[in-house]
Structures are given as C-alpha cells and as structure tokens.
Amino acid sequence: MNSGIPFLNIPATPDGAGVSEVTPAEGLRAVLDNLDALVYVSDFETHELLYMNAYGRRIWGSIDGKKCWEVLQNNASPCDFCTNHLLIDSEGSPSAPHIWEFQNRLDKRWYQCRDQAIPWLDGRLVRLEIATDITERKEMELALKEAHEKARAAALQDDLTGLHNRRAFFELGNQLLKQSRRNGSPLAIIMFDLDHFKQINDNHGHEAGDEVLRHIGRVLETNVREADIAARIGGEEFAILLADADAIQASEMAERLLSLMRKTPVRYQDVCIRPTASFGISALRPEEINLENLLARADNAMYESKALGRGRVRTKP
C-alpha cells in the first residue's frame, strides 16, 4: 500500500532470526492508518495531496496526486473556506494551529479540524489537517439550540393569538425605540381595547371570546407591516409599535383596523359577533428615552375613546 509519503514507504528489514523488524516509519504509518480521524497533507501552494491516511481513503478514495479540493469536496477550484491564510504569519512562516468546526459539503458530516502549516522533507511548506468526525455531538448541539430557540419564541408569543406577548413587546419595542432615537426617525404607537368584551364572554361563553381574540390576531398579522411590532399585552388589550411612522400615519392605520373589525364579523357556532375597539395613538417625543411614557399617553388616549362612546380613535401626540 502506497502511503504517498517517502518516509512512510520504507520496507521492513529482516533480522537474523527471520522476523521482520518494524521500522519507525512503518510504526507511524500503522498509527496514522488506525486513527479514527482524517489525516492528510497537501502542498501549501499547489494544494496537491501528498498523503491521506486509511480513514480518509476509505471515505474519499485514492488521492493519486489530486488536489485536496478535488478529493475532499469534489470541487473544480480551491475551496472558498480554505484556511491556509490563517496558518502563516505576515512573513509566511508557520503560525499556531487553527481549530474550527465545519460541515463537509460532500458527505454532509460535521468535523472538528485542526489545521497547521509545517515544513516538509524537501523544505517546502505543507498543510497538515487532522479532522475528527463530530456529527453526533454537533447534531445534539444543534437540536438543543433549536429547542432553546423554540422555548424562547414560545416565551415571547401569545398562545391564543400567535402575536407577541407583553414581554416581547417591551423587549423588541425598546430595541426599536433605541434605533429610532439613533436614526432620528419617527415612532408611533397604537393601543386598543376591545369594547364590551366581558359581554361577549357572558353572553356567548369564553370560547366565543377566545375566537374573537384569535380573529383580532389574524387581522393584525395580515395588516401590520413586518417592521412593526404587534402584541397582545393584556386580556383584550393590544398594542402596535409602528417604525418610521408619525401620529397621523398611526391614526390612519387605526381607522383602517377599526373599519376591518366592523366589516369582518366573527362567526362562532350560530352566533355572529361584530367586535369594535377603542383606540389610542401617541408618537415619540424628542426628549423621550423609554417606552413606558409613550405607552402611557396612548393608554390615556384609548380611555378617552372609551369615555367618548367607544369604537373610535383618539390621539395624544
């Protein structure tokens, strides 16, 4: 078996007793070929593969003087993620090993790679890589990360409507407020509370009330921009934070939402429910640095709407 490295191809020398003496080169080859990891050496400039251990040859086949990117990635040109430039210093001398994790594009397995530039027997610089398959561990890590992300998403989502919940509204809203302050862009808020919601629950049951809340959630998801933040912040209370919008634009959206509520009744069993809401609008002031003041003014405007007969929009700039 040809290893591809001259010092690993030295034949065994019989001793006087007729027993083959194992040379250091053969011992090293045996060690490398029994490693449960890929070991390969390639020319630093030409990328020609000079050596690959048995583990690598079982997976990627014979090297036959091919380039590393031909064998390992089945590419037609050098890999765009090649780490060679990280393995030498500004003077072109070998630097510290580079350790990284990578999913092979050919076999889709995950590897932890230890790459290092070393001098070869003839003085040229070569790349030595030891790559250990970490697919099982990586898949567990990715699954755990996905589970954490889903758990966090669930913690920030209102189960009934699918909108953001109060916690998410303040987390995301404060980020949006900081961005607005940094860019000098306007920011407005819409708050609304469903009118006579208790009567819906009392007259038709809580399931009917839940269906109304789900309907409002769908209305908001369909009509609110992706850049805005829509949330259910209380029982039947909702808020929308509008990026790059002033009080006039927020009022126009509120009127549109109120019109949609009136035009799209909720059908629950044999009942037709036509929900309305009282809206309050406010816009960010130059001196404001937190979301609470903006929300409080919109809340006051919303209660003015209720006091004036409900089903309307009021603004407190």
Side-chain angles (χ1 to χ4, degrees):
M1 178 175 60
N2 189 340
S3 68
I5 301 182
F7 71 79
L8 294 184
N9 291 323
I10 302 173
T13 303
D15 61 14
V19 178
S20 297
E21 179 183 348
V22 177
T23 67
E26 288 179 316
L28 178 57
R29 184 173 64 192
V31 170
L32 294 177
D33 279 345
N34 282 280
L35 282 180
D36 190 26
L38 164 69
V39 181
Y40 77 84
V41 176
S42 63
D43 185 282
F44 211 79
E45 296 296 331
T46 68
H47 300 278
E48 179 185 353
L49 278 169
L50 304 174
Y51 169 75
M52 182 179 286
N53 69 344
Y55 178 97
R57 295 193 302 272
R58 282 195 302 270
I59 297 175
W60 289 282
S62 175
I63 60 177
D64 292 332
K66 296 178 182 177
K67 313 290 187 181
C68 56
W69 35 268
E70 290 179 304
V71 174
L72 297 171
Q73 301 296 330
N74 196 28
N75 283 352
S77 58
C79 304
D80 55 8
F81 51 82
C82 182
T83 62
N84 277 7
H85 65 288
L86 302 175
L87 310 182
I88 54 176
D89 60 23
S90 58
E91 298 179 352
S93 299
S95 56
H98 176 64
I99 299 173
W100 58 304
E101 295 181 357
F102 168 71
Q103 186 179 28
N104 187 285
R105 295 174 178 175
L106 191 59
D107 67 0
K108 304 304 180 183
R109 305 287 292 178
W110 280 93
Y111 295 90
Q112 184 182 72
C113 304
R114 185 186 188 278
D115 301 343
Q116 188 173 6
I118 62 172
W120 198 230
L121 297 174
D122 55 10
R124 60 177 155 165
L125 206 61
V126 298
R127 168 197 180 92
L128 167 67
E129 179 169 283
I130 302 172
T132 305
D133 192 321
I134 58 168
T135 302
E136 284 71 24
R137 188 203 73 181
K138 194 67 179 181
E139 287 178 346
M140 286 176 54
E141 289 177 359
L142 293 174
L144 185 60
K145 181 181 178 182
E146 183 181 1
H148 281 308
E149 289 174 349
K150 286 182 178 179
R152 175 166 174 76
L156 298 175
Q157 185 180 59
D158 177 60
D159 290 338
L160 186 62
T161 64
L163 299 173
H164 294 303
N165 60 18
R166 186 180 185 88
R167 174 184 169 186
F169 179 80
F170 279 96
E171 281 192 19
L172 300 173
N174 279 309
Q175 293 177 18
L176 191 56
L177 185 144
K178 289 178 182 178
Q179 181 179 328
S180 175
R181 300 289 299 170
R182 184 167 56 249
N183 299 335
S185 56
L187 184 69
I189 188 170
I190 299 172
M191 283 193 66
F192 68 91
D193 190 86
L194 297 182
D195 297 328
H196 305 298
F197 187 72
K198 185 177 183 302
Q199 292 181 15
I200 295 174
N201 284 330
D202 291 345
N203 296 335
H204 307 295
H206 287 280
E207 286 296 326
D210 287 349
E211 185 55 38
V212 169
L213 293 173
R214 282 190 286 267
H215 171 72
I216 298 300
R218 291 190 292 270
V219 169
L220 294 188
E221 284 185 347
T222 304
N223 293 277
V224 172
R225 302 173 303 175
E226 289 187 8
D228 302 330
I229 301 168
R232 180 187 177 203
I233 59 174
E236 64 267 24
E237 194 170 69
F238 296 81
I240 310 167
L241 201 58
L242 287 83
D244 200 22
D246 57 23
I248 295 175
Q249 292 168 308
S251 180
E252 290 172 350
M253 174 176 278
E255 293 285 1
R256 186 164 63 253
L257 291 173
L258 181 57
S259 176
L260 283 169
M261 291 179 194
R262 288 169 172 159
K263 292 177 181 178
T264 54
V266 179
R267 300 192 180 277
Y268 177 74
Q269 295 181 352
D270 58 346
V271 177
C272 181
I273 304 170
R274 295 182 180 275
T276 63
S278 299
F279 287 79
I281 309 296
S282 187
L284 185 67
R285 293 174 177 172
E287 72 278 5
E288 284 181 329
I289 59 173
N290 62 64
L291 199 58
E292 286 75 10
N293 291 343
L294 182 63
L295 191 68
R297 289 202 311 280
D299 190 60
N300 289 336
M302 181 181 73
Y303 278 98
E304 284 186 8
S305 292
K306 287 182 176 293
L308 291 170
R310 296 182 169 83
R312 64 192 65 220
V313 177
R314 291 286 291 174
T315 300
K316 278 190 176 296

